[in-house]
Amino acid sequence: MPRYEVTIEKDACDGIFACLTRDPRFVEGADGLAKIDPGADPVYDCEGSVDDDAERVVATFDDDRLEEARQAATACPTDAIVVEEVDG
């Protein structure tokens, strides 16, 4: 399975939340911007690490849901989400 990172750039996120309809791991944060919560998916047990700082949210996953993350990134009208495969 691929290992990949999902990054949300907070400055670019406008809280439109098109990503939420493509991947249930995306949720609305208290600040009105998109966040990533691996446990938010009601169907799949999902594990991942999430780093959230003042500039961005970066989540790393090692599962078979890369395409869902890519669809969420594609749906973002402000291009705030980047999905990249990473090594080991």
Side-chain angles (χ1 to χ4, degrees):
M1 282 186 255
R3 182 173 168 85
Y4 58 97
E5 285 185 351
V6 180
T7 302
I8 302 172
E9 295 293 341
K10 291 182 179 182
D11 286 347
C13 181
D14 280 347
I16 298 168
F17 304 119
C19 54
L20 276 65
T21 64
R22 304 307 194 284
D23 187 331
R25 296 173 291 184
F26 287 82
V27 296
E28 181 177 354
D31 58 2
L33 301 177
K35 304 285 184 196
I36 301 170
D37 179 359
D41 191 323
V43 177
Y44 297 103
D45 285 334
C46 183
E47 294 183 16
S49 64
V50 180
D51 293 317
D52 188 344
D53 63 31
E55 297 174 0
R56 65 188 54 87
V57 177
V58 180
T60 304
F61 296 99
D62 187 6
D63 58 30
D64 62 352
R65 300 179 66 196
L66 174 61
E67 187 55 35
E68 286 178 61
R70 285 183 174 152
Q71 288 176 9
T74 299
C76 179
T78 62
D79 295 325
I81 303 168
V82 176
V83 178
E84 297 178 306
E85 287 191 59
V86 295
D87 292 331

